[in-house]
Each structure stands twice: as structure tokens, then as C-alpha cells.
Amino acid sequence: MYNITINSLPVSVDRNETILEAARKIGIRIPTLCFLEGHAPLGACRACVVEVEGAKTLMPACATPVQDGMKIKTNSRRVREARRMVVELLLSEHNGDCKYCERGEDCELKALAIELGIEDERFSGERLEPALDDSTPALSRDAAKCIKCRRCVTVCNEVQGVGALFPQYRGFSAVIGPAFSRPLDSVACVQCGQCAAVCPVGAITERNHIDAVWAALDDPKQHVVVQTAPAIRAALGEEFGLEPGTLVTGKMVSALRAMGFDAVFDTNFTADLTIMEEGSELLMRLTRLLKNHENIALPQFSSCSPGWIKYLEYYYPEMIPNVSSCKSPQQMFGALAKTYYADKIGKKAEEITVVSVMPCTAKKFEALRPEMRDSGVQDVDYVLTTRELARMIKGSGVAFTELPDGQMDAPLGLSSGAADIFANTGGVMEAALRTVYELVTGRPLPGENLQVRPLAGLEGIKEASLILENVKPEYDFLEEVEVRVAVAHGLGNTGKLLDRIQAGKGDYHFVEIMTCPGGCIGGGGQPRFTDDSVRQKRIEAIYKEDEGKPIRKSHENPAITQIYEEYLGAPLSERSHHLLHTKYTAREVVQ
Amino acid sequence: MIQRIKNSEHLEKISREYTAEKNEQSILLCAGGGCMASGAMDVKSALQDALKQNRLSIPVKETGCMGPCAAGPVIMIHPEKIVYERVSPEDAGEIVTTHFIEKRLLKRLIHRNSASREEAPALDSIDFFKNQKKIVLRNCGRIDPGKIEDYYTERGYSALANVLTGMKPEDVVQAIKISGLRGRGGAGFPTWMKWEFTRKAEGELKYALCNADEGDPGAFMDRSVLEGDPHSLIEGMVIAAYAIGAREGFVYVRAEYPLAVSRLQKALEQAREAGLLGKNILNTGFSFDLSIRMGSGAFVCGEETALMNSIEGHRGEPRPRPPFPAQKGLWQKPTLLNNVETYASVPAILMNGPETYAAIGTDKSSGTKVFALAGAIETSGLVEVPIGTSLGELIYDIGGGIKNGKTFKAAQIGGPSGGCIPKEHLSVPLDYDSLAELGAIMGSGGLIVMDEDTCMVDVARFFLEFVQEESCGKCVPCRVGTKRMLEILNRICEGRGEEGDIERLIELGNMIKETSLCGLGQTAPNPVLSTIRHFRHEYEDHIRRKHCEAGVCPGLVRAPCQSACPANVDIPGFVSLVREKRYAEALRLHRERNPFAAVCARVCFHTCEDHCRRSTLDEPVSIRGIKRFLVEQEVTIQIPEVRENPENEKRRVAIIGAGPAGLSCGYFLARLGYKPEIFEAESRPGGMLAQTIPAYRLPRETLAREVRMIERMGVKIHTEKRLGRDFSLESLKQQGYEAVFMALGAPENLPLGVAGEDTAGVVQAVPFLREYNIRGSVPVGNRVIVIGGGNAAVDAARTAIRLDAEEVSILYRRSQEQMPAYAEELEEALNEGVALRTLVQPVEIVSDKNGRVSGLRCLPMTLGDFDRSGRRGPKAAEEEPEFIPADQIIIAIGQRLDPKPVLGSLAVETRPDRFIAVNQINGQTSVPWIFSGGDMVSGPSSVVSAIAAGERGAVGIDEYLSGETHAFWREEWNNDTAYDPDEAPVPYPREKLPTIDVERRRSNFDEVELCWTEASAMRQCGRCLRCDYGKSPVRRETKEKEAARV
């Protein structure tokens, strides 16, 4: 332990702590912009500078380790003036009009400027060149607003291992962006939107579908249905001032209805369906391998997360055969809404508009994939992120927190608890095991609350195994088989896991991959700012939702039973193959 | 085939074998980057051919840089050390026949010392070399960098052998500690501490790195070592690696140094082959290998963490420190990083003993430092001197002084991270701490010398532009802050500077220094802050007066001559009008800004000519000569434009003093319709023009004509009205004068301050001259001594000669070059028989028994350290005092103002030097209705400065009284004279004005200078390059007004 003083207060701190950590511990706020918890400090923005006795210059609190006897001032005149000037300089290059910026309310730069009492422009000069890049379906980047804090660079490179964004050029011409300032769609960006989730200003955001959705809602000829992903309900409340982890499923349904959606459905329904299809696919692969001794690609990878799919297509195309052919729940929903549901209400596919609310920006890209038109038209028309939905709710004048709890519509709004946990890392795996285990053995998955403990939590790569015993006679080839599974979230971890598998060091049967840290609850379209403590709270809420459901297993969802009976026949049937499964294609990293 | 060295005895044996071979006669050819660029390799083959033709088997060896790069290609004949410079391939034959066959010096190619102009054939006789102390560059220019054996002969690798066989790592660190070596990369961190930290850091894997990413504009010492003596770097690095326990190392060098890279690469291979690098060095079991990493020339990669990022393959950007490289450096392993110069010093330190090294330099900074001299210096190139050598010694004793006889203005030390040092500090010892005190840094040793033609704001802008372009853009202060500073500097240089800009620059600069991530940002504002510190008036001139005196900033400069003229006379305008024989228009144009055309044609110190751009081609245009011709063409004086104004006519303005400032103020007020009144203490108007400038320089009638012109414009002059005797400032106010312009000059004489000053026969120069000029006679001795070096001294001496003194001598305590008197006046004085004795200091005036002066006791002086005037100060020589007999002594050492008696009870603010403090733009004093200008404000200065001050005062008074500026003569003016820009400049030389014969000058005061013929004047006018062409004149005073209002 070191003994230091901060603003004359004596503090005992661990040797490895930084000044920022030490100060936060005793409730002293030091502003930061470039700092990203859990990552090596960059010391780029200089907003966190403090005065350290004996040091010639001011020191960045985020990057300076404490030393015994250090005397620190975080709020001296010298510090305040330096911070103020740093932010004034940032404002002087920032070329954004706050009046028209979607970050109006939660812009960190603006907030800091207010905090530091900046009221007029003292250092005017050349501003950044406006350079809007909306080449991708999911993301929109405006280099003119970029403050070069490089949080996006950190998440893109270190968390996601994608490396689509990095600093280039020098001096005032320095920019953050894809190589050679090319448009984002010309590089291997997976459009996960983690960059948008960490951007402190309005420089990176999702491509906005709000106006299009309003237009569809206003169109009397269109029957507009909405599906909401499982991760929304645990996070949407944050946009309305509620604590992270507050479940707002019922209020969300009411709000959507108030906004004029003709039917409010749940992506959870197709999540359950995904389990049926993906579980069956896994059993089929196991059958062909263990019973028929065919050469079949294993492990099977989950396929719900579109960022992951694009990542695989870019970086591991040789493993495409391993991915489940199942479409993501969003796309299954779109295909069924415009076929099965359309039939039910007597409409044509063209007359139905499917809107998704997703925690994800990559879903916007996924909806536009040319493969996703199995209903004959584009299966999912518009994708709203959680943030966009919140803006729409605010724009529609609904007092969200006062709303009564509504109910999802049947049949596409009914789901099991297993579908809820699709929202977090390990959830798809757990949901699949609940069904597959019961299908194979006839008994419920062992373990408290149907949970597979090793698969929960925020560790980057998790693995588990269970031995199948006393299986049903039709699965006798699985008797005594140890089923090994693994879970990875965040593409950086994913890359590590895939390398391990390719090196022959992971003999798994089934692997769940989530693009974003924490899974969909930490998606690129979720309310800002998402750190691990927020992720944990959202996960806890999701499990609460799961546990509160009367039905906790996908195969027990009566609506699922019904759709197979009425429409699809059986899992992996021809119709499900047509509507619920797809193919993937290798992509060139550099075009 | 390179032999593998077994041990130190083996090394010694091989080196002895090669020494004999090396001692044979040879031609050493500088193959440094500079000489290569000027054709050294062609010289080499020409020399080889010539030797072959003459059947001489003298080898021509390539060496590294010898230093005097501007004199390249350079060769040195070994072993007699005869240097030939500026050798071309055509000279080769002559060198071989003259030097080697006829055994004579080829005088045409030998060096001449610039101070003495004496021939200096041998290395040791050349100022540039003999005043250096070479340790880092000990082998550069002496050995063939491509031969490891050459290095052996200079005891190369013997230090390494001693270290590996006889010293423990901690002993090595201790030795470096004793030596006092500090990092030569810039910051001067004690080298041993870095070594000790890295040695003690935990970790099996450690690295030793060399920073050869030399990025400072103008600095190239690292390159020279790599090119000229790569083994000394390798040896230094292996020793360092042994001391810290590293097994692998890298030299990070910029790819723009291909020659350095290839020579280092070759040296590495040789060292490896010789067993001096790589596995099991000298069979001691110690292994260390080195390789080269090339950077792409980013300045920031000289910063240690950015350099390591770059070696690791990442973007060259700094990372936060701590952790320091000694703990977590390259690939997070303990890493030692020193620069080339530091490592190259190490073998020499260990070879000769650390104590020997520590004895060189100063207490806090031992050893030597290499500087790259560049800019306006006679001999540019690389020099190595003991730390603590003064800046003045470096520039004058080694560099040979300022080029083209210009004056030194400032030196920029330490590149873009450094600062400017002005002439007041030429005596600063070049060591880390003294430089830091002045806001500069030693840096890597780039030293750019700047003369009077340099605009310091422009210099600051140049460096800041460099830094802004080289900033990595990572941290906000450096990326945006330097941009904002640059924008401010740009607008100042373009004439759009605003009040508060200097303060903004200081605020931004200090903040950037405090908050930037790395050394680049933390030092980026230095050039700006240091130029503001030492040259703040230039910034103010740019911002307030929209004026760039050096004539550099394009937005402010129409023509450099015009910018240099204090009165802003449109020189290209009147010169081109003269060329078209439009004399009346030319005079009118001149008098738009300066009424005293005829006076200035005789007495102006013509700073316009010092800045004439024609001098870059041959010599300046004789502008004063043209003006003299012009004024001779005037038959009757034309009254310039006067704008009648009944309002102004009613406003009463008093001017005190009818010198050039007062008269000029009256002239310009009259042009605005005022009827000002001038009160003059003496019986004749003209001030110093009438009282002290002798008639042989300025005929009385010439002055009188221009004074009459002013009177005819409505200015009333009351003579023999002395302020404090006949009236006071308060009484003027009571009489209804609404504004007063004070221009009393600097009438008090500075005393000599020696015993006997009140002896009969001792007079002050100004009263002496005044008495003769006003009253027509003055007592003159037979043996006259004039003490002083200014124009008054020369005028007094020449007057005394004319009044038939037998012997007249001027005594000056400094050297002739340092005399402030105009060189041409002094030259005429000497022609007329005045004797000049310099470097003598009067100590006592001796009187005879009658109490009359009998002579002067003087102390011989010699030139010592540089003083605050930028000149070497005189100091007593170790010689006996000398007695010089004289019957009259005239003291002319300066003038001052005693403001108390003249100001009365009014609280007019004065400066510490007791001259009057005014607003520089309008001459207003701290008492709003009192304005002032001329010598009374500036101290003794030039006539034209006083004229300019009078004009400013007139505009200021007009604005004070009317609330508006009506100065129509300041408005834009376009010359309609013909000029063909495609025409080649006419080849005529500069011409001097003719003078009357010296014999005809005694006993009379006839004007000495004569006028040109029309043909001469036309030729001279044709020489003008018309810098004004195509540029619309700056409407500078309009902006000035705006600035003044802020």
C-alpha cells in the first residue's frame, strides 16, 4: 500500500493503482474522455490532468500510477485552467452543430464544457472538414465531429479485433477512420457498432431508420408489426432515467402500441424457434458423426449474431461449414411474419412492414443481406436500435415511466424463458442445452434453476461439458457421450477461441458466439454508456425475466408447437429450410 | 577478409600493422553528405586520374564529414594536413602537379580565415578547426568509415576489449557517472542514471536502442557519425549493452539517410565478422547483436516511446510515461535508449579515462557537444566544442561571423523544440542549464544563425508550422493548440494580428507545454515563447503598426526598402519616377511621407539600402544617391497638398523643439489644416540638423529651404523660447493650446566619469559643434582628442580638422567594426587625416601647471566576452597605461534626457532610462493632451526616425482633437511607372557619390559629397528590382487605427 494525499486528503492505495482510480475511490471526480475502463490508458485527451507535486508538467490521472508519498491536486486553479483550455481547444476543432446533433442530451464533450464553465469561444480557427461516411447500412461516421479520443479505435482493435478504424495522418489533419480514409464499407468492418456505443460525441452513430418507421406507421395501406429483441427490455429504461437492469417489457409494449404498431410481437418467439431448429441441427450433426460416421463439421457455431457472421465471412471463411444454417431470430421472424402471419390475417407479404427493435447495429446490415428475402420481399424492413426506439417514444409524447404494462400479441409474441436469455452471453447455449438435453434424455437439464453456471458471467471465453446418460433409445449413440461446449463474447475473444479450435486445442460440439461484450445486452445499439457493471445489471434483469416465466424451455412454448403443427411441420423440414435457414459467403478483407 | 579478433592483444597487434600503412601519404576526401552532394565523387575520380597520369601511387581515401560543409568538396592531404576547399574535378590536375610534384601549395584553393583574411593552409591554422575539440567527431574526416582496420588504428574497440575483460557492468556505469556524460539527444539527462535504471530493472530480456532519428531541421551530427565513424557507435552500444545486460539492440535511423544506413550496415557486418558483435564477443562469453530499423522520417519518432512504438511496428506515436523505458520499453521490456552522439562518446570516455572527459566542459555539463552551424554564418557545418563555450565564440571564432557583413540578430538553438537567443546573450555559455534559463534548449545541437534580415515572427511561424505538421495528433494540446497558435501567427504575419494575440500565444504556449503528452508538444511552443520573450517589439510592430521591419512577411511588406524606412517612404515609387525623369512627381511622392527630402538625401543612414533585395544579386541600389540627384533637380520647392480645414485651424497646437521631429509634426499637422506653433530654444530652427551636423555634410541653405517650406505651409516658429525658462507645459495649456507635441531631443551630455573632466580645454562634442554651427566660431586646440565612437565624435573630429587643428584623433574603447558612427563618415574622416585609435579607455585627464589640459592617460584594452549589445566588450589588456598629449579633449560618448526640469509638475510617465514613455502608434504620453517623439522618446537615434515620430504625433494629435484620422497621405497609392518583370536585371554596379578632393576640404565647410550626373542616376535607378511590382500597397495605417482603438 502507498500513502498519498489527494487535495490534502490522506489516502491509502494499492501500488498498481492510477491516480484516477485512487481519486474515484474517495469520490473525487476527475473528468475523462479518452479513458476506457479495462484498457491501457492512452493519455490522449488530457482532460484528466492533475497536478503532482514535483512534476514539471501536469500529469494525466488515467495513465499515471501512484507513488508512495505522492501529493496530488485535482482541482487547483492550474488544473482547472488547463482542463478548460483542453476542452476549449476540442470545441474549437469540433465541427458539429449541437442544435442538430442526436447526442444533444448525452454528449460527453458538451457535458464537460458545461462542467468546466465554458461559455464562449476564445480560440476560434479552422474546423475539421465535414466528411460524412454513411457507406454502410448500419453506421454513420462524421469525421468533423470526431475528437480523436480513440475509444472507437480501442474497441475496434482490442475488444473486437477487427481493426477497421485507426488513427491516420498527422497534426491537425489527423483523422480516425478506415485505411487511407476510404469509406467504411470498403474495409472489413462487421458493423457491430461498438464504436458507436463508446463514442463520446456524435461522430459515430447508427444509420437512422426513425423517419422511415414513422412513414410506415402513417401509411394506412401497411400493416406494421414490430418485434423486440430480448435485450431491449433490460436496457430501454435507462434512456428514461431508470436504473440499469430495470425491466420495462410491459411499458415497452404499451409504448409501441401507443405509437401505432398494428401488432407488437417478440423476437423471443423466433428465439425459441431458433432453439428448435439449431438444437435439431446439432442433433443431426451429432447423429451423422457418431452414428453414421460421416465427415461432418463440428463444433457447430451459433448464428444469431450478425456481426459475428460477417466476422467469420471475412476472417475465418474456412469455418463457414461449422456455422448453424439457422437464420438469426430477427430474420426468422421477418420471414414468418410475411408468410405464416400474413396468411393468418389474410394479407400479402408486400402489405406487411416488419420493424425490429434491436440492441444491435449489425442487424441493420443483416436485414439488407440479399439472402434475407425468403418471403418474396425483404423480410425485415426496418431495424431500430434501442436508442432509436427511445427517441421515437420521446418524440411521440408518451410518458414512458407512467405507462401501464402491456402484453405482447399472439401468436408471434409468445415465448419461453429460454428465449429471454438469448440476450446475454451464454444464453443461447443454455437455452439450447435445456431443449437438447431434454430431447435426448427425456429429463430436464440438471442444475439449479436450469442454469449452466460455468456459462454465466463476463469472462471472455467460457467452457462447460456434460455427460449424457440414460438417453432415449433413439439417441443411443449419445449414451455416455460428453458434450463439450464453449461460449465466447466479443470478437477479440472469438478470434482467440477460433484460433484455439483451429489449432486443435478445443474439441467442442457446440459453440456460442456473441459479437458484443456481454452478448446482446452490451450491443452497439444499446443506451450509452455501457460498462461491465451495467452489463452485469442487465444480465441479472434478463435472468429475472427468465425465472419469472411459466415456461422456461423453448420446446414447451405452445406457440412453437402450434407453428410446427400448423405451418412448418417439423424442425429442419423443407419449409423451415426455406424460411428459417440460410447460407454464408466468404468475403474479401480488402476490396 | 576480416580477421576474427581473439582478444585485446590480438586487436593491438592488428592495429599496429595497419598504423604503418595508414601513415603513408594519402589524400583524404570528405565523403560526407554535404560534400557528396557538391560532387565529391567526381573530384575523387578526377584526382585518381590525375595521379595515375603522373604515375603517383597516392591513395585517395573517402572519409566521413570533415565539418565545413559549405566549403565542400573538401580534401585534406595526409599526413601534412593541408586542406583544399571548394575543389572541383577541374582542379584535380593542378592539385596533383602543384602540391605533389612541385611541392607547393595551391593557394587558390586554400582557406582564408574570415576574421584576419589570412591564408590558413594547414588544418591547425584554420580558425574553424583549431578552436574545436573533437571527441565525438574524433575520427570523422580522418578515417575511412568503410574499413574497420582504420578504426582500429585510432584505438578503436580497445575500450570495448578493456571493458569486457576487466570491468564489471557496475564499474562501467560508475565510469560513465564519473565522466559526467549527459544525454546528447536534447534533454541532457545524466547518461549513467539511465544505464543504472536499466541495469537494475528486473527482466531477462533487455534492449539497447540507439536513436538515430535525427529530425531537427539543420541538425546532422548523428548522420555524420553514422557516415563517418560508424564503429564508434557500435562500440559504444556494445559497451552499454554489457553494462545493462542487453543481448539485442536496434539502431533506429531514418530512411532518408541512405548513405548512413549503408555505411552502418557495412560496419555491423564487419564488426560481426571480427567477433566484436554478435555471439561470444572477443571470446568473453558476452553476446550482443545489433540491427538497423528504418523509420520514415517522422519527427515525433525521435521521442523515445514513439520510437519504440515504431520499432514494434505500430504507428509512431508516443505513449504515456511512466512507465519509463528503463522499466517497460521496447515490447514492454527494460530498454536503454541513447542517441548516436552519446554512444559515440562512450569509447572515448573509457579509452582516455572518465576523469579526463569530466575535466572538459563545465561542472554541471562535462565533455563536448557537436553543433550544426547553419544560416547566416560565414562557415557553416559541423563543429564540436567543449560544453560551456560561449555562443559568440562559436559564431565568431569558429563560424567566422555573420555572412555578408550583416549584423547578428539571433540564434535558434535546439531546432523546433528550442528557442531563439538574441544578441544580448551572445556570451551565454552553451550548456544545458544556461540555455534553459534563456528559454532555449541544447537539443540535438542544431544552431541556425540569423541576421538582421530575419523576421522573428516569421521564424516562430516557420518552426511552429513544422511542429504542427509533425505532431502525431494524439493529444489535444499539441494537435489543436499548436494549430491555433499557428493560425494566430499566420494572421499576425499577414497583417491581421489583433490586440491580445501576444497574450493568447503566451497562454496557449504555456498550456501546451504543461499538458502535452510528449516532449514534442511540451517543447513545441518554445520558438514562439522565446521570440516573444526576446523580440516582443517585433510582434507588436506586426500587430499594431502592421509593419515588418525585416521586410519578410509578404502581407506586410510592399518592398523591403520601404519596410525598413522608418518614415515608410515609397522608395520604389520615387526611384522609378526618377528613372522616368518625372522629378517633380518623385519629390512629391517622397514628401508625402517625409518632408526632408533634401536633408535626408545627405544625412540619412539609409537602412533602406541595408534591406535592398538587389544585394542578394550583387549590391544594394544606391538609394540615397538617387535621392541626392532627385533633390538637386528641384528649382523652387513645391508646396505639397494641404487640405484647408476651418475647424482644425481653430484648434491650437504647440510643438516644443524645432528639430526634425517637431518640424515634421508641424508639417503634417499643417497638411491637415492646422496652424501649429513651434517653440524653439535656440536662435535657429533645425535642432540637431542645424546645431551639430556640420555644413560640409548638410549645407545650411538646404536645411533652410525645407524649413521655409514648412513655414510657408502655415507653421509658425518662435525661436529662443526655452521650455522651463520662457514657458511651461501648464502655461501652454492656460494659453489655450489644446495639444502639445514635445520634441526636445536628448540634450544632456553623458560625462566621461574620469578624473580631470572639468579641466580647461575639455569640452563636450554637442556644445562644441553647436557653438560653431550656430555662432560661427569655437575654440579649437592644436592637438585634439575626440573620445567616442558615434557620429558626434566623427563630426567633431572633422570640424576640428576644418578649423585647422594640427592633429585630431578619435579614441574609442572598442574596435573599429564596433563603432556606431556611419562607416562612410568615418572613412571620410580618416581620408581627411583624422587618426583613429581603438581599444583605448581614458582613465584620467591630465592638466599642466596652468590647469589646462595637457593630455589623456589611457588604458589599452582588448576584446573580451560578448556583452549585451552583442559585441565583444572591451576589457583591460595587461599592459601599462599610456599617456597621449593633447591640448583639447572633446567628449562624445552619448546624450541623454533629464526630464525633471522640463516636465515641471506634470506627471508625464518616463521609462527607466528616463526617456519619455509614449504609445508607439500615436506618440501620446500618459498625459492625454501631451504627445512626444524623436530622441526625447527613443534616445539618440536617426533623423528619419524622428521624422517618422513627428508624423505619428501629428496623426495622433489630429485624432485626439477631431476624433477621426484624416491622414490622407497614408492612403493607398499605385505607382504608374513602367516595369517589365520579364526583363533581366541591368548589370550596372552600385555607384558611390563623388566627393571633393581631400586637399580641398581643409579650412572650409564646403559640402563634401557631390551629385551624380543624370546618366549615373539613370543607371542606378535601373538597378531597382521593383519589389513593389504587382503588390497593392498595404493600407497599413487604417488597420493601425483599428488596432489602436481596441
Side-chain angles (χ1 to χ4, degrees), chain A residues 42 44-46 57-58 65 78 85 89 92-93 122-123 125-126 147-148 150 167-172, chain B residues 298 300 315 317 320 322 468-469 471 474-477 479-480 483-484 487 507 511 513-517:
Chain A
L42 287 172
C45 73
R46 318 309 280 178
T57 60
L58 297 172
R78 189 175 158 212
M85 189 155 345
L89 289 175
S92 77
E93 74 168 347
R122 290 197 303 155
F123 302 104
E126 190 184 331
I147 62 168
K148 291 154 199 98
R150 306 183 179 203
Q168 293 156 78
Y169 309 108
R170 294 195 170 273
F172 193 75
Chain B
V300 72
R315 179 175 158 92
E317 277 184 349
Q468 163 61 211
E469 275 173 14
S471 162
K474 184 171 176 179
C475 76
V476 179
R479 180 183 74 235
V480 194
K483 173 77 174 177
R484 295 293 169 252
E487 286 169 339
E507 188 186 2
M511 201 283 301
K513 286 178 77 153
E514 282 225 317
T515 56
S516 287
L517 172 57

Side-chain angles (χ1 to χ4, degrees), chain B residues 742 897 899 903 907-920 923-927 930-933 936-938:
Chain B
M742 280 198 301
L897 173 73
L903 293 178
V908 174
E909 208 179 296
T910 54
R911 295 196 313 254
D913 59 7
R914 305 205 293 173
F915 292 102
I916 307 292
V918 298
N919 174 334
Q920 284 186 12
Q924 195 169 31
T925 68
S926 59
V927 176
I930 299 178
F931 294 72
S932 185
M936 194 180 190
V937 167
S938 59

Side-chain angles (χ1 to χ4, degrees), chain A residues 207-217 219 222 224-227 261 330-331 333-334 338 352-358 360 363-365 367-368 378-385 388 392:
Chain A
R207 288 282 296 279
N208 187 322
H209 287 186
I210 293 176
D211 289 347
V213 171
W214 280 126
L217 288 170
D219 184 347
Q222 283 295 310
V224 188
V225 304
V226 62
Q227 56 165 327
F261 285 101
Q330 158 172 283
Q331 293 308 133
F333 181 94
K338 292 194 176 180
I352 292 183
T353 298
V354 175
V355 176
S356 309
V357 183
M358 293 286 144
C360 180
K363 291 280 177 197
K364 290 180 189 259
F365 161 78
L368 287 176
Q378 185 177 318
D379 295 339
V380 173
D381 295 284
Y382 305 113
V383 180
L384 298 170
T385 63
E388 285 175 274
M392 286 185 75

Side-chain angles (χ1 to χ4, degrees), chain A residues 182-259:
Chain A
R182 296 182 69 189
L184 195 57
D185 74 342
S186 67
V187 301
C189 166
V190 303
Q191 305 186 29
C192 67
Q194 281 299 309
C195 51
V198 295
C199 182
V201 294
I204 313 184
T205 55
E206 59 274 54
R207 288 282 296 279
N208 187 322
H209 287 186
I210 293 176
D211 289 347
V213 171
W214 280 126
L217 288 170
D218 288 344
D219 184 347
K221 291 195 286 274
Q222 283 295 310
H223 183 82
V224 188
V225 304
V226 62
Q227 56 165 327
T228 60
I232 311 299
R233 57 210 70 180
L236 180 63
E238 293 165 32
E239 292 277 358
F240 298 91
L242 299 174
E243 275 298 299
T246 310
L247 278 170
V248 291
T249 323
K251 293 187 195 307
M252 175 180 74
V253 172
S254 301
L256 289 166
R257 207 157 269 138
M259 284 157 63

Side-chain angles (χ1 to χ4, degrees), chain B residues 331-456:
Chain B
W331 287 298
Q332 302 292 308
K333 304 291 180 225
T335 302
L336 173 72
L337 178 77
N338 283 131
N339 91 328
V340 176
E341 209 182 324
T342 315
Y343 280 128
S345 305
V346 168
I349 288 171
L350 295 167
M351 206 155 64
N352 303 319
E355 293 82 3
T356 314
Y357 188 84
I360 304 165
T362 67
D363 286 351
K364 281 184 173 173
S365 318
S366 59
T368 57
K369 176 77 192 86
V370 184
F371 291 95
L373 296 182
I377 192 162
E378 196 63 42
T379 315
S380 54
L382 274 193
V383 297
E384 184 172 0
V385 290
I387 292 184
T389 301
S390 81
L391 176 61
E393 286 165 353
L394 193 62
I395 293 174
Y396 288 94
D397 297 348
I398 298 177
I402 308 303
K403 248 193 219 167
N404 304 327
K406 300 246 174 186
T407 51
F408 171 81
K409 185 170 192 177
Q412 163 78 16
I413 300 193
S417 308
C420 285
I421 296 187
K423 67 171 195 291
E424 288 84 352
H425 297 290
L426 265 175
S427 61
V428 65
L430 296 168
D431 66 62
Y432 294 97
D433 309 289
S434 306
L435 288 174
E437 271 173 38
L438 294 180
I441 59 164
M442 184 90 91
S444 58
L447 201 155
I448 298 169
V449 178
M450 293 173 281
D451 64 14
E452 62 210 82
D453 291 345
T454 316
C455 167
M456 300 314 290

